[in-house]
Amino acid sequence: MWRMARPRKPLLSRDRIIETAGALVDAEGLEAVSTRRLAAALGVSGPSLYNHFRTKDEILEAVADSVSARVDLSMFDGGGADWRAALHAWAHSYRDALADHPNIVPVLARGPGRRPAGLRLADAVFGAMTEAGWPAAQATRIGALMRYFILGSAVASFARGFVDDRTAYDPADYPHLGQAHLLAERGREVDEGAFETGLTALLDGLALQYEALKETA
């Protein structure tokens, strides 16, 4: 009985293309992804990619959606009973996913478009806010506000924007930056602290609006 020989390399699939493209984006940025480069990394011919994706942009959209799919949405399962705690937990989960893949943020910043995981994310946030009693228009604004804040926090490190060189910040020119050279080595601590400070302030402000809304209802 004849048996077909097993292929030496894994068969090409959407998941394999997305995984390989994502690794390229993580390592070298969006510009590194081309159909030629991706085909070479996968060990296939360029045209074979088009059996799964029509364009490079479709591949990048799929990579972006794979990152959105890593965001935990379970905190919204209980509806809007504790919308503030849910937004807090979700924001951290979202930022953690983006922190691992910052180079894909510009694609995510375009909005969910037709991406399934991105749409589920938007649906979960909007649904929880409206179930909590926020008017639909305000729930939309809250979703947008949270996305602006979270995506912005993932674009770059504030702390690592300063060099580890005391002489770079002459007190004669920058009288208040005498300790700025220390920020680079404390990048994670500073950035995570800044995110939590901003998130708390944002949610505090929304809580005040929510109480005012309930008083006028």
Side-chain angles (χ1 to χ4, degrees):
M1 180 177 178
W2 292 95
R3 294 184 179 180
M4 293 182 62
R6 297 182 63 183
R8 294 181 179 179
K9 295 182 179 179
L11 294 174
L12 193 60
S13 66
R14 284 180 62 90
D15 287 345
R16 188 170 167 233
I17 294 170
I18 292 168
E19 181 180 0
T20 303
L24 276 175
V25 172
D26 287 345
E28 302 180 40
L30 295 171
E31 299 77 11
V33 179
S34 66
T35 53
R36 178 180 296 180
R37 178 84 181 276
L38 191 52
L42 289 162
V44 300
S45 62
S48 63
L49 297 176
Y50 298 117
N51 293 325
H52 300 276
F53 296 96
R54 292 177 297 177
T55 65
K56 183 186 82 169
D57 283 344
E58 279 194 2
I59 296 173
L60 292 176
E61 288 284 318
V63 172
D65 210 40
S66 71
V67 173
S68 294
R70 301 177 190 187
V71 180
D72 183 14
L73 299 177
S74 64
M75 66 285 297
F76 297 119
D77 289 346
D82 193 350
W83 61 269
R84 176 176 174 150
L87 283 182
H88 186 275
W90 168 70
H92 275 282
S93 178
Y94 199 175
R95 183 175 181 269
D96 287 346
L98 298 182
D100 291 335
H101 309 281
N103 290 339
I104 200 64
V105 170
V107 179
L108 286 164
R110 300 172 191 165
R114 298 175 182 271
R115 299 193 300 267
L119 290 170
R120 284 193 294 271
L121 188 155
D123 182 74
V125 175
F126 181 81
M129 295 306 99
T130 54
E131 288 176 24
W134 287 98
Q138 187 67 353
T140 299
R141 296 185 192 109
I142 290 171
L145 169 64
M146 295 297 293
R147 192 167 68 86
Y148 298 154
F149 176 70
I150 297 166
L151 291 176
S153 74
V155 169
S157 165
F158 172 83
R160 293 189 180 89
F162 295 87
V163 298
D164 185 14
D165 180 359
R166 182 189 295 270
T167 65
Y169 309 107
D170 190 329
D173 297 320
Y174 315 106
H176 304 295
L177 296 181
Q179 301 297 308
H181 65 286
L182 301 175
L183 290 174
E185 67 181 31
R186 300 175 182 173
R188 182 171 182 177
E189 174 187 351
V190 171
D191 292 335
E192 290 184 355
F195 181 78
E196 181 59 32
T197 298
L199 180 59
T200 299
L202 189 157
L203 295 176
D204 283 348
L206 287 177
L208 290 174
Q209 291 185 32
Y210 186 74
E211 291 305 315
L213 179 69
K214 289 300 181 183
E215 289 176 3
T216 59

